Amino acid sequence: MCGIVGIFDIRGLNEIDRSLLSRMNESQFHRGPDEGGLHTEPGLGFGHRRLSIIDLSSGQQPMHSQDGNVVLTYNGEVYNFPELRLELEALGYGFRTHCDTEVILYAWQAWGDSCVERLRGMFAFAIWDRAKQTLFLARDRLGVKPLFYAELPNGHFIFGSELKALTQHPLLPKDPDPTAIEDYFSFGYIPDPKTIYRSVYKLEPGYCLAIKRGDANFRPKQYWDVTFKPITSAHATDVGEELISRLREAVKIRMVADVPLGAFLSGGVDSSGVVALMAGLSADPVNTCSISFGDPKFNESEFAARVAERYHTSHRVEQVDPDDFSLIDRLSGLYDEPYADSSALPTYRVCELAKKQVTVVLSGDGGDENLAGYRRYRWHTYEERMRSVLPDALRVPLFSTLGKVYPKLDWAPKILRAKTTLESIGRDSMAGYFHSVSVLPNAMRAELFSERLKRDLQGYQAVEVFHRYRETAPDDPLSMVQYLDLKTYLVGDILTKVDRASMAHALEVRVPLLDHKLVEWMATLPPDLKLKGREGKYIFKKALEPYLPYDVLYRPKMGFSVPLSAWFRGPLKQRVQDTLLGGTLQNTGWFDRNYLQHIVSQHQSGLRDYSAAIWSLLMFEAFARNNLA
């Protein structure tokens, strides 16, 4: 796992500032503290920071082909590189190392752009082909590894693994994108391909980008997408056995490393399943780690301990201070743009713990999106039934009115908190799902934003992020929201969180449930094998029954939560007041002060739970204070 950067002169062969390239590279030192390297030539500069995982003694980057025509800087792991190496050797290519980096280099020479279709793993890389005068960038299919890029006013194209590398460049325009602000306060993150800056983009998962010198007309090209077309008609038992077999293979190829390896073990279904399969593949005890919380409402460590005991893992657990909010300022520096998932706090801590024992860990991320584990999927299918029963002419006005008049009962039992559901049913399927996942709903954003920001938005609404996928999203209601989450929430929130938190500790995280071959196969499973009645991940849980205790499989989902609501009424009460009502947010000109006052007073009085909105504003303020001053 590494960090990459680059500068490319699209127009000509102007000299690249090597000291600037070095500053960009060193801004990502944490991603690769083992080694660093630079390559410059007229009109091109590549940088690389290395975290050594395989072939520790060689594989330094940027790497050159033996004929000197091709240069590569690469972040990630390609798990099928031994098979690809055999193919390339049969074609006449000779190898000087035993690492996957050199395989990508010659895969490009052998197969060109289509080389990415042969790679199985997580990756973001840039190749310079001197003979073709072409820069080629690619990102893995699910977006496990990040890649940012921008075209500068002087005709230079820059890229990097993190946004902070690009902001080192003095010519990068840093004008915030108003539509990204709308997206952020809707989703809690800024979905691909946008960033907070108008001039900077994320290369989307499953996309590549080729730029030929002298041709400024370039655009990303999609090379992969997942297709939800259920074709599996086998008995559930057979499907479950095949699921375990396919996952076991995905786990096995991710256990190859020349450094200590382990796994996150939260006590949930996905991580426990991964650990169970790892234990069956390893002659030595698996290294596992988890964190615990003092509050039993948030604590899964008991279940993690049971799995660790069953499989005799070398288990480490540490308790997180229930008031562990010292990381708030640190987080804004990690993510480089506004990011509002508060579970980044415990994720940072579990990565910190894992690094004490290992350099590579396997995680269970991706199970909820692929196998329908989120509770919101169940609610969406309920809402879809209501939409299918009532004609739009009756449903829309009826439920829109009910949603408006029904009170917001944050303090009441869940069964009485129906306002969001009523409002969602009053919308079409895609807009309804957008409403259910929004951190701040439409009406709240309308009150929060100033008139100036509303003018700058020119009518744009964040639901358009979902509308981009109308043509490619499947018709089945459950498959549709799974597809939307794979395109937005998984990459923009979950994988971003894990990448930055792990790389802050120079820890590599591998994700077997996001193996693209496994993802493609899971997309063919009938929806009722994923969500059966009230049971999400139905077929996965059934298949894991021989491997895990019943209450690990079938207890209510907990998640990596932190007690924000209590923090904001207790130890962080004054900080909330100072931050939300202080000068930074006001100086942006984007927020209505009266509504900010309303949020603070209503939450701290206990009348409303505005913890999600407050956290989002705290993280936005930290970004603005550090980057927009």
Side-chain angles (χ1 to χ4, degrees), residues 254-515:
R254 285 164 176 78
M255 292 178 66
V256 177
D258 296 331
V259 293
L261 176 142
F264 292 142
L265 180 56
S266 69
V269 172
D270 303 324
S271 67
S272 298
V274 168
V275 167
L277 296 182
M278 289 178 72
L281 293 165
S282 176
D284 300 316
V286 176
N287 296 304
T288 57
C289 65
S290 64
I291 57 174
S292 66
F293 299 90
D295 189 337
K297 291 186 297 184
F298 304 102
N299 193 10
E300 294 184 287
S301 61
E302 169 194 345
F303 300 98
R306 291 183 59 188
V307 175
E309 182 178 2
R310 178 166 177 165
Y311 288 101
H312 308 289
T313 72
S314 176
H315 190 56
R316 296 186 62 167
V317 58
E318 287 187 6
Q319 182 166 323
V320 173
D321 185 337
D323 290 333
D324 183 27
F325 41 76
S326 61
L327 290 176
I328 292 176
D329 289 324
R330 173 85 174 115
L331 288 181
S332 66
L334 287 182
Y335 292 90
D336 298 330
E337 63 180 351
Y339 177 81
D341 186 341
S342 60
S343 67
L345 292 166
T347 301
Y348 182 93
R349 291 302 186 200
V350 78
C351 291
E352 184 178 52
L353 173 61
K355 184 61 178 182
K356 296 176 182 178
Q357 193 174 14
V358 298
T359 305
V360 178
V361 292
L362 273 63
S363 84
D365 292 317
D368 288 312
E369 291 82 4
N370 283 298
L371 293 161
Y374 294 126
R375 281 190 292 265
R376 62 177 181 259
Y377 293 164
R378 187 172 78 233
W379 286 108
H380 180 75
T381 59
Y382 293 162
E383 293 167 9
E384 279 297 281
R385 290 174 198 161
M386 187 65 71
R387 291 186 184 99
S388 67
V389 169
L390 294 175
D392 291 353
L394 174 62
R395 175 181 55 81
V396 173
L398 172 61
F399 282 92
S400 296
T401 301
L402 288 173
K404 288 178 182 177
V405 300
Y406 197 90
K408 182 71 171 167
L409 304 176
D410 295 329
W411 47 267
K414 286 186 178 180
I415 195 171
L416 297 179
R417 294 184 231 162
K419 186 177 182 69
T420 297
T421 300
L422 294 171
E423 291 173 335
S424 293
I425 296 173
R427 295 167 163 85
D428 67 34
S429 182
M430 199 167 275
Y433 188 63
F434 169 77
H435 180 70
S436 69
V437 300
S438 295
V439 178
L440 279 71
N442 293 351
M444 194 171 178
R445 298 196 310 279
E447 294 196 68
L448 174 66
F449 294 162
S450 68
E451 291 303 316
R452 171 192 158 187
L453 179 54
K454 292 174 187 176
R455 287 194 301 272
D456 290 345
L457 288 171
Q458 298 181 336
Y460 172 83
Q461 291 189 319
V463 71
E464 292 180 29
V465 170
F466 282 177
H467 289 166
R468 287 185 62 214
Y469 302 106
R470 275 198 185 278
E471 297 301 317
T472 53
D475 294 329
D476 174 75
L478 176 60
S479 300
M480 183 196 77
V481 294
Q482 287 183 271
Y483 182 82
L484 291 175
D485 275 356
L486 285 170
K487 294 295 183 180
T488 58
Y489 179 70
L490 176 68
V491 59
D493 188 311
I494 301 298
L495 294 176
T496 296
K497 172 180 64 181
V498 174
D499 177 79
R500 304 305 189 278
S502 60
M503 285 288 92
H505 300 288
L507 178 74
E508 175 173 303
V509 179
R510 298 177 177 178
V511 198
L513 278 159
L514 291 180
D515 182 278

Side-chain angles (χ1 to χ4, degrees), residues 3 60 76 84 86 94 125 142 219-220 475 513 539 550 579 599:
Q60 287 76 19
L84 293 176
L86 291 175
F125 64 82
L142 278 304
R219 60 184 302 174
D475 294 329
L513 278 159
I539 192 62
Y550 184 89
T579 301
I599 289 173

Side-chain angles (χ1 to χ4, degrees), residues 124-361:
F125 64 82
I127 286 176
W128 168 241
D129 190 315
R130 191 174 299 111
K132 297 179 180 178
Q133 289 289 288
T134 295
L135 175 70
F136 180 78
L137 291 84
R139 189 178 181 195
D140 67 70
R141 296 166 180 82
L142 278 304
V144 182
K145 293 292 97 191
L147 189 57
F148 296 81
Y149 69 90
E151 185 179 2
L152 304 183
N154 67 346
H156 284 190
F157 178 93
I158 62 174
F159 64 86
S161 294
E162 296 186 16
L163 189 51
K164 60 172 57 67
L166 277 66
T167 59
Q168 295 294 314
H169 201 295
L171 296 182
L172 178 73
K174 297 178 184 176
D175 303 321
D177 181 350
T179 67
I181 299 172
E182 156 75 358
D183 289 348
Y184 168 73
F185 282 102
S186 300
F187 293 102
Y189 56 91
I190 299 172
D192 295 32
K194 292 180 192 173
T195 71
I196 188 62
Y197 302 116
R198 293 178 191 266
S199 60
V200 184
Y201 298 91
K202 300 158 186 160
L203 186 62
E204 293 182 83
Y207 275 72
C208 56
L209 177 62
I211 309 174
K212 190 171 182 61
R213 176 163 281 145
D215 184 1
N217 295 316
F218 57 85
R219 60 184 302 174
K221 172 187 173 184
Q222 188 172 24
Y223 69 87
W224 182 86
D225 199 4
V226 62
T227 302
F228 282 81
K229 289 186 177 179
I231 58 175
T232 303
S233 57
H235 189 275
T237 301
D238 297 329
V239 173
E241 290 175 356
E242 185 170 357
L243 174 54
I244 294 299
S245 176
R246 287 175 176 270
L247 178 58
R248 181 181 287 113
E249 191 258 350
V251 167
K252 182 178 180 179
I253 62 175
R254 285 164 176 78
M255 292 178 66
V256 177
D258 296 331
V259 293
L261 176 142
F264 292 142
L265 180 56
S266 69
V269 172
D270 303 324
S271 67
S272 298
V274 168
V275 167
L277 296 182
M278 289 178 72
L281 293 165
S282 176
D284 300 316
V286 176
N287 296 304
T288 57
C289 65
S290 64
I291 57 174
S292 66
F293 299 90
D295 189 337
K297 291 186 297 184
F298 304 102
N299 193 10
E300 294 184 287
S301 61
E302 169 194 345
F303 300 98
R306 291 183 59 188
V307 175
E309 182 178 2
R310 178 166 177 165
Y311 288 101
H312 308 289
T313 72
S314 176
H315 190 56
R316 296 186 62 167
V317 58
E318 287 187 6
Q319 182 166 323
V320 173
D321 185 337
D323 290 333
D324 183 27
F325 41 76
S326 61
L327 290 176
I328 292 176
D329 289 324
R330 173 85 174 115
L331 288 181
S332 66
L334 287 182
Y335 292 90
D336 298 330
E337 63 180 351
Y339 177 81
D341 186 341
S342 60
S343 67
L345 292 166
T347 301
Y348 182 93
R349 291 302 186 200
V350 78
C351 291
E352 184 178 52
L353 173 61
K355 184 61 178 182
K356 296 176 182 178
Q357 193 174 14
V358 298
T359 305
V360 178
V361 292

Side-chain angles (χ1 to χ4, degrees), residues 38 105 121 216 273 301 319 380 417 521 554 602-603 607 621 626:
L38 299 177
L105 198 62
S301 61
Q319 182 166 323
H380 180 75
R417 294 184 231 162
W521 179 79
Y554 293 105
Q602 290 282 296
H603 182 87
L607 292 174
E621 188 274 345
N626 293 323

Side-chain angles (χ1 to χ4, degrees), residues 232-240 243 370-372 478 521-522 524-533 535-542:
T232 303
S233 57
H235 189 275
T237 301
D238 297 329
V239 173
L243 174 54
N370 283 298
L371 293 161
L478 176 60
W521 179 79
M522 289 188 291
T524 69
L525 298 179
D528 63 359
L529 286 183
K530 300 173 184 176
L531 178 62
K532 196 173 189 69
E535 199 65 63
K537 289 191 281 199
Y538 170 77
I539 192 62
F540 194 33
K541 292 175 181 177
K542 293 295 290 184

